[in-house]
Amino acid sequence: MDSTVSIDKENSLLRKDPVKMIKQGFEWLRRRELIMLIAAASVFAALWAFLELADEVNEQETMEIDKMILIALRNPADYSDPLGPGWIEEMFRDFTALGSFGVLVLITVATCVYLLLLNRGRTALFAIAAISGGWLVSHSLKIAYDRSRPDLVPHEAIVYTASFPSGHAMMSAVTYLTLAALLSRAISPWRLKVFFLASALFLTILVGASRVYLGVHWPTDVVAGWTLGAAWAGLCWLIERWLQQKGVVEPAPQLLSADETLPRRSGR
């Protein structure tokens, strides 16, 4: 009973003292393994890269390289014709759909159902909250920066929103990388962890590249979407690890060492 009162009192003090809360957060990071510190540093680095790039875009200092890359992907004799045969253009339209709102919702729902089948309902709820939060950040930044779409070449896909950052690139990173990180924490075989993370990274790059090829985004829009999306996914991964430590989210399964085997049923 006394311990419960003590914990409640400590939590109340933390709410009143944000500095102490921040210090405890850094102390928690320090006690975790090296990968946690690397992940935290990567999140800050990606966020810094986004802010630096956003500053360059605001000052129009990236326009020359943006134009050069867009033109390089077009037929020099006809800017309305992307490089390559017609089937390549159609294939890139298919690739860009992998970052569309509808497809990402379906993939998120399917992954959450899979997590529910693994009896990881709280992890599924966290995934929905993390991806929804990423969408709100992406949409808010588009309104804030309000960058015009490229008018240098004809668009090969219908667009509705502002250009910076690329919503497809950012939400692909947010969705695929976050889901891959959560799935990798829900399973034990390391080969599956690598597969999930590598597939998420590949799909994120593919979607972003397709937006530039189709002429609907400046290259810097896509790079900004990648960096901010990766930062968001990394932050969500760190938060999920912290929630697992607190018992709010289901713990990760224990890995078996090389000399350990699963117990066998004794048959008679």
Side-chain angles (χ1 to χ4, degrees):
M1 184 71 177
D2 293 339
S3 62
T4 304
V5 173
S6 177
I7 293 173
D8 290 341
K9 185 177 180 180
E10 182 179 355
N11 289 338
S12 177
L13 289 173
L14 282 176
R15 285 193 293 268
K16 294 179 181 178
D17 189 356
V19 175
K20 185 177 180 181
M21 190 173 183
I22 292 171
K23 287 181 178 179
Q24 282 208 350
F26 278 108
E27 179 64 20
W28 177 84
L29 277 175
R30 189 187 64 79
R31 291 196 302 266
R32 301 286 78 78
E33 60 269 26
L34 181 61
I35 191 172
M36 295 291 291
L37 298 177
I38 294 174
S42 299
V43 168
F44 283 114
L47 183 59
W48 175 84
F50 169 79
L51 293 174
E52 285 293 314
L53 182 58
D55 185 59
E56 296 291 315
V57 167
N58 273 339
E59 295 176 359
Q60 300 290 313
E61 295 184 6
T62 62
M63 191 56 67
E64 288 302 320
I65 191 170
D66 278 335
K67 290 180 178 179
M68 182 181 68
I69 295 173
L70 278 182
I71 291 175
L73 295 173
R74 295 284 163 154
N75 183 343
D78 182 8
Y79 286 169
S80 67
D81 180 24
L83 288 179
W87 64 269
I88 291 287
E89 184 180 335
E90 193 62 29
M91 184 173 64
F92 270 90
R93 286 197 184 93
D94 294 337
F95 291 159
T96 207
L98 294 172
S100 65
F101 180 79
V103 171
L104 293 179
V105 167
L106 288 175
I107 290 174
T108 301
V109 169
T111 304
C112 288
V113 170
Y114 175 71
L115 290 170
L116 288 172
L117 293 175
L118 293 177
N119 295 319
R120 304 183 73 86
R122 287 171 289 172
T123 302
L125 288 175
F126 179 80
I128 294 172
I131 293 170
S132 299
W135 181 85
L136 287 174
V137 171
S138 174
H139 192 67
S140 299
L141 289 174
K142 279 180 173 290
I143 295 173
Y145 286 104
D146 196 27
R147 190 186 192 188
S148 300
R149 296 275 180 167
D151 55 2
L152 197 63
V153 297
H155 298 169
E156 300 298 324
I158 298 174
V159 293
Y160 302 99
T161 57
S163 192
F164 186 90
S166 166
H168 275 64
M170 179 175 172
M171 288 312 300
S172 296
V174 167
T175 303
Y176 292 126
L177 294 178
T178 299
L179 292 179
L182 296 181
L183 285 174
S184 70
R185 295 287 298 165
I187 56 176
S188 56
W190 67 268
R191 292 181 181 85
L192 287 179
K193 295 175 184 286
V194 172
F195 171 75
F196 283 137
L197 293 172
S199 298
L201 186 61
F202 176 73
L203 289 172
T204 298
I205 294 173
L206 195 63
V207 170
S210 72
R211 303 304 283 173
V212 179
Y213 179 83
L214 295 174
V216 294
H217 273 293
W218 302 105
T220 46
D221 297 338
V222 171
V223 175
W226 281 338
T227 55
L228 190 58
W232 185 266
L235 178 63
C236 291
W237 183 77
L238 287 170
I239 292 173
E240 193 236 1
R241 289 288 298 264
W242 180 71
L243 291 176
Q244 284 182 331
Q245 294 288 332
K246 296 293 184 181
V248 178
V249 172
E250 297 88 353
Q254 296 296 319
L255 290 172
L256 295 177
S257 61
D259 56 348
E260 286 180 326
T261 56
L262 292 172
R264 295 181 178 178
R265 291 183 179 180
S266 57
R268 293 185 180 179

